[in-house]
Amino acid sequence: MTHPPKSSTAPPGTALPTMPAVPPQPGQAAPPPAPGPSAVPEVAPARRTAFAEGVDRLREAATTEPGRLRIIGAFVALLVVAFGAVTAWQMTDRASAADDVLTRSQPLSSDAADIYRSLADANTAAASGYLAGPQEKPEMRRRYESDIRTAATKLVTAASNSEAGSDSARTIAELNNLLPQYKGLIETARSNNRQGYPVGSAYLRAANEQMQAQMLPKAENLYRKENQRLQSDYADAKSFPWAAIGLGLVALGSLAWAQRRNYLRTNRVLNHGLVTASAASAVVLLWLVVGHSVARAGLNDSYDHGVRSLNVLHDARIASLTARSDENLSLIRRGADTTKVGDTTVDAYAAGYDEQIDKLAKSLVRADSLADDSAGRKPVTDANGFMKAWKDRHGVAQGLNDKGEYQQARDKVIGVGKDPTSVCFDNVDKALQTALGHEQTEFKQAAGDGKDALTGLPYGAAVLAVLGAAGAVLGIGRRLSEYR
């Protein structure tokens, strides 16, 4: 009799017996795992950044007095070091700019003015030599050659100190190209004049036009650009160091707060380290303010009583040279070149002389007002007196020329006979040269004083800042030792 199989159903709550796992037979694949609930992979927590951990540690440290002291010490020391570093940086820049004013930009500005003066004087000497006739005066020839050499030398100096590709460099290159052309025209004019050919005056006129229309405007442009560079260096040297002063005040304020906090918690009036840091910071701040103020005063004085006077005197000398050149050419051209003054047609060079002599008179008045001592005022007064005598003698010479008395007019201009205008011109030029020398000395002294006021300040600020930071750290460290 066959019995039915027993049901595997068990009463509720009764655990079913588990069958023992049957190991797989050799060569047989392992059975798949029994289905079960889905496995959820564990996610590792995100690792915190070093900055976040540092902030947490700093926050924890700030809850204790030693931790607060360490934070205060580090903060104060950092402020003092930053103050010294910014002071050293800003004062180094200003000292460098002051040195450029004294040794680079102003001398280059004077060199540019000398280029203009030398070219204008060479043109005047060439015209004076031609006016003397076939027998050119040796002193006029020597003066012309000396001016040409001076202009060429100054152009080389200016080229070596100009930036490649700059406007100044291009202007210098153009002048270097025009100078040989001008010399060639002058030599051709001299050669024809010695042989008695009237065509020489045409070559002299062409040389003068090249000088007046091309070379002198380029030389003036170079002078203006060098003056702009000088102004820029002055501005950099005199710029107030607000960043350094602001950091200095913040550093001193922080040190005062730290010492007051120390007093309120310990009832001790002084902390030697913090006092040392405060004293070092105060010395740097005082040195910075006083030193820069003295430097500004010296630089302002060098500009007001040096550069401004030099600029006016350069303008006066250029006007004098141009007036002399026009005076000579008026006789050489004999009215061949005319211009309109109002409704009247007049000789172009005679009108040019009147215009330039008026500029000379105005420049001398300004130079006299800028002179700050008798040594600077006397040569200007002398030049003014010689200029008035020149105007009077020129009026006589021009009157003779207008009446057709050419030979007498020429003698009145080039130095044959009594009271020639050439003597007045030479005296004006010498007086202006004396005044320029005096003002150049005044500039160097004042600018040198301004530069010297900044000497040692960058290095001194750096050393005192390190000393102050060390004092702050040691002062806080002494306070921390009380907690051990």
Side-chain angles (χ1 to χ4, degrees), residues 325-392:
S325 177
D326 287 340
E327 185 179 47
N328 291 332
L329 287 166
S330 177
L331 292 176
I332 294 171
R333 297 297 297 167
R334 302 186 188 184
D337 304 290
T338 59
T339 188
K340 285 280 189 179
V341 177
D343 296 331
T344 306
T345 301
V346 297
D347 181 273
Y349 294 110
Y353 169 86
D354 292 337
E355 180 183 354
Q356 294 301 320
I357 211 72
D358 287 342
K359 287 183 180 180
L360 172 60
K362 293 176 182 178
S363 295
L364 289 175
V365 171
R366 288 188 60 202
D368 184 72
S369 66
L370 291 172
D372 57 343
D373 57 14
S374 58
R377 193 172 293 110
K378 184 182 183 304
V380 175
T381 303
D382 292 343
N384 194 45
F386 295 136
M387 181 269 298
K388 291 178 179 177
W390 183 7
K391 287 180 66 176
D392 293 339

Side-chain angles (χ1 to χ4, degrees), residues 155-309:
L155 283 171
V156 171
T157 302
S160 64
N161 287 284
S162 62
E163 297 181 3
S166 64
D167 290 341
S168 294
R170 285 191 291 270
T171 300
I172 293 167
E174 290 168 355
L175 284 171
N176 276 321
N177 290 331
L178 289 170
L179 189 58
Q181 299 175 22
Y182 172 81
K183 290 171 61 179
L185 290 171
I186 291 296
E187 293 307 315
T188 303
R190 289 180 66 244
S191 177
N192 282 279
N193 190 40
R194 283 197 303 269
Q195 298 177 63
Y197 297 151
V199 72
S201 67
Y203 282 101
L204 185 66
R205 179 191 177 189
N208 178 72
E209 288 179 349
Q210 184 182 39
M211 178 65 73
Q212 298 290 343
Q214 299 183 57
M215 299 178 71
L216 289 182
K218 291 182 186 301
E220 183 179 9
N221 183 48
L222 179 64
Y223 174 58
R224 302 302 176 199
K225 288 185 182 302
E226 294 301 333
N227 257 349
Q228 289 174 4
R229 192 200 311 198
L230 176 60
Q231 298 289 341
S232 176
D233 287 339
Y234 261 113
D236 291 341
K238 296 191 296 183
S239 177
F240 213 70
W242 291 112
I245 291 175
L247 269 175
L249 293 174
V250 171
L252 281 175
S254 299
L255 285 165
W257 171 81
Q259 290 177 89
R260 183 175 182 277
R261 182 181 183 279
N262 183 62
Y263 167 72
L264 293 175
R265 281 165 172 73
T266 65
N267 206 31
R268 295 171 184 170
V269 178
L270 297 176
N271 179 288
H272 293 165
L274 293 177
V275 169
T276 300
S278 300
S281 299
V283 168
V284 173
L285 185 60
L286 183 64
W287 191 0
L288 170 64
V289 173
V290 173
H292 190 264
S293 297
V294 172
R296 280 172 62 92
L299 291 170
N300 283 331
D301 187 56
S302 72
Y303 182 80
D304 293 335
H305 302 292
V307 173
R308 289 178 63 195
S309 295

